[in-house]
Amino acid sequence: MTERTLADGRPILYFDDARRAGPVHEAVDQRPLDGLPRAGEVRYDVLTGEWVTIAGHRMNRTFLPAAADCPLDPTRDPAHPSEVPDSDYDVVVFANQFPSFAPVAVESGVEAPPFGPADGPAHGHCDVVVFSSDHEASVVDLPTQRMRTVVEAWAQRTAVHSADPRIAQVFVFENRGQEIGVTLTHPHGQIYAYPFLPPRAGQLVEQARRHREATGGNLLADVLRAEQAEGTRVVLTGEHWTAYVPRAARWPVEVHLAPHRDVPDLAALDDAEKAELAVVYQELLRRVDRFHPGVDRVPYIAGWHQAPTGADRELGRLHLQLFSLLRAPGKLKYLAGSESGMGAWINDTTPERIADRLREVAS
């Protein structure tokens, strides 16, 4: 890994598939940028008990630029610089220019709330993880060695951000497809380091606490063992990883991937687990892409749920949630009244059918 600095002070890190001899990635960012981007604030919703991030500066962020203006391409023409100064790279990670969370935040200027916790700065980190210098590449098609490099980048950034005492949760994820809301088509993912525990993470912790009090066990580990024992919804099993469709899947395509060993996060994986993950992860993506006949690239969100960094860390356990809102070719599952308005989910298929299809389309 080689760390450099962009013109406005943001860090940029290059992860290479293999060790390179001599000085590497020494290109300098020559853009006339202002100082470090600043985050906004977090406000507490007293009606739900959840934190909402106010990031008004993101309203005008880059949106589906022409391929020639892609900010994630390497800088091959100094007259047209991108976010990546070097002319080539394997995997690169840099702090987002339009962050939801950042080490430095703007002052609110808004009166304190009449009740409930006080507003606070949206301190945290938002990394962009670029998987390839090839603008047309896709994660599912990357060489295995490159996918292994991506896993290493995920683990390294998880470890670094988890060490920040202001961070409560580190979330590694990839959005693919305009249907998901992707604003840049170049293959990339993101890492959010939150200053609070997000709602789903909070729910997982609370359910895990209740399970431990009732049984003495770890909820996510016990769920994995139950799925392995039943087998109905298991779609893939390796030496270190098992993928299964959750019993109460919410999405028309959904699969979880969990390590056999109890580990809190990506940083805690050993070399053998990382190596198998690189293979298993791409196999899951291939199956998702084959799920709907006639659809070459299924839109998806792949998110790594990791243990909290501080309190209740022992209740968390690493697992991937991979899902798509494409319920049929050309038809999306919209989060309408029940889901968006009330948070009450309705799935238009069954988890068992999802699992059957994911086994059917195995390589």
Side-chain angles (χ1 to χ4, degrees):
M1 187 269 290
T2 304
E3 183 169 358
R4 303 296 184 211
T5 304
L6 296 175
D8 55 7
R10 285 176 293 143
I12 181 168
L13 300 95
Y14 298 91
F15 292 83
D16 296 321
D17 293 343
R19 185 179 298 276
R20 304 189 186 195
V24 292
H25 307 298
E26 294 190 309
V28 177
D29 185 6
Q30 302 287 358
R31 295 173 296 170
L33 300 180
D34 295 330
L36 282 168
R38 295 170 179 261
E41 61 180 330
V42 292
R43 297 185 184 180
Y44 188 75
D45 185 345
V46 297
L47 302 182
T48 65
E50 298 173 358
W51 289 97
V52 177
T53 304
I54 309 299
H57 58 285
R58 284 172 51 83
M59 187 65 74
N60 296 318
R61 67 188 186 276
T62 307
F63 180 77
L64 295 176
D69 299 320
C70 178
L72 306 186
D73 283 354
T75 298
R76 296 196 171 112
D77 179 2
H80 297 88
S82 73
E83 283 276 72
V84 186
D86 214 337
S87 59
D88 196 19
Y89 59 84
D90 293 335
V91 175
V92 67
V93 180
F94 57 86
N96 199 316
Q97 191 175 15
F98 303 96
S100 300
F101 307 96
V104 181
V106 299
E107 295 294 332
S108 170
V110 177
E111 291 184 7
F115 45 83
D119 301 340
H123 283 144
H125 306 275
C126 286
D127 285 348
V128 178
V129 184
V130 192
F131 305 134
S132 171
S133 61
D134 181 358
H135 184 83
E136 302 299 328
S138 183
V139 178
V140 69
D141 299 323
L142 295 175
T144 302
Q145 185 179 17
R146 174 61 50 79
M147 191 65 235
R148 178 66 179 80
T149 303
V150 171
V151 172
E152 198 60 49
W154 288 343
Q156 195 271 352
R157 300 316 291 158
T158 293
V160 169
H161 293 325
S162 296
D164 185 337
R166 297 178 296 185
I167 299 306
Q169 179 82 31
V170 179
F171 183 52
V172 176
F173 64 100
E174 180 201 358
N175 301 327
R176 188 180 78 174
Q178 292 185 33
E179 300 91 338
I180 298 297
V182 167
T183 58
L184 295 172
T185 58
H186 193 117
H188 72 288
Q190 298 182 69
I191 301 175
Y192 274 23
Y194 300 95
F196 54 82
L197 207 59
R200 183 175 176 89
Q203 292 169 353
L204 285 170
V205 165
E206 183 56 32
Q207 289 299 103
R209 179 181 290 110
R210 293 175 181 175
H211 181 79
R212 175 160 293 185
E213 291 172 353
T215 70
N218 179 287
L219 175 61
L220 288 163
D222 289 349
V223 165
L224 174 60
R225 280 191 286 269
E227 292 290 353
Q228 290 171 323
E230 183 178 346
T232 307
R233 290 172 294 274
V234 171
V235 298
L236 186 156
T237 299
E239 181 181 354
H240 303 288
W241 298 87
T242 289
Y244 62 91
V245 177
R247 192 172 185 275
R250 301 182 176 201
W251 299 93
V253 182
E254 182 174 356
V255 62
H256 291 192
L257 177 64
H260 297 166
R261 188 169 64 93
D262 289 347
V263 294
D265 54 24
L266 290 158
L269 296 174
D270 62 29
D271 286 342
E273 290 163 335
K274 290 176 182 177
E276 186 176 272
L277 173 57
V279 175
V280 170
Y281 183 72
Q282 287 186 299
E283 172 60 16
L284 284 181
L285 295 184
R286 281 190 287 270
R287 296 191 192 190
V288 168
D289 273 348
R290 299 188 193 110
F291 194 91
H292 295 297
V295 178
D296 293 329
R297 291 293 192 227
V298 171
Y300 65 76
I301 295 174
W304 285 100
H305 297 276
Q306 309 194 82
T309 61
D312 297 320
R313 184 168 174 80
E314 74 283 357
L315 296 174
R317 192 179 192 275
L318 176 69
H319 66 288
L320 172 76
Q321 181 190 28
L322 171 64
F323 63 92
S324 175
L325 44 68
L326 189 68
R327 60 184 176 87
K331 298 178 180 179
L332 299 178
K333 173 181 175 59
Y334 291 102
L335 301 188
S338 186
E339 288 88 357
S340 293
M342 291 300 292
W345 287 76
I346 300 169
N347 199 343
D348 301 320
T349 187
T350 70
E352 292 71 28
R353 288 176 187 167
I354 299 171
D356 285 343
R357 180 60 177 163
L358 287 171
R359 286 191 292 263
E360 180 183 330
V361 296
S363 298

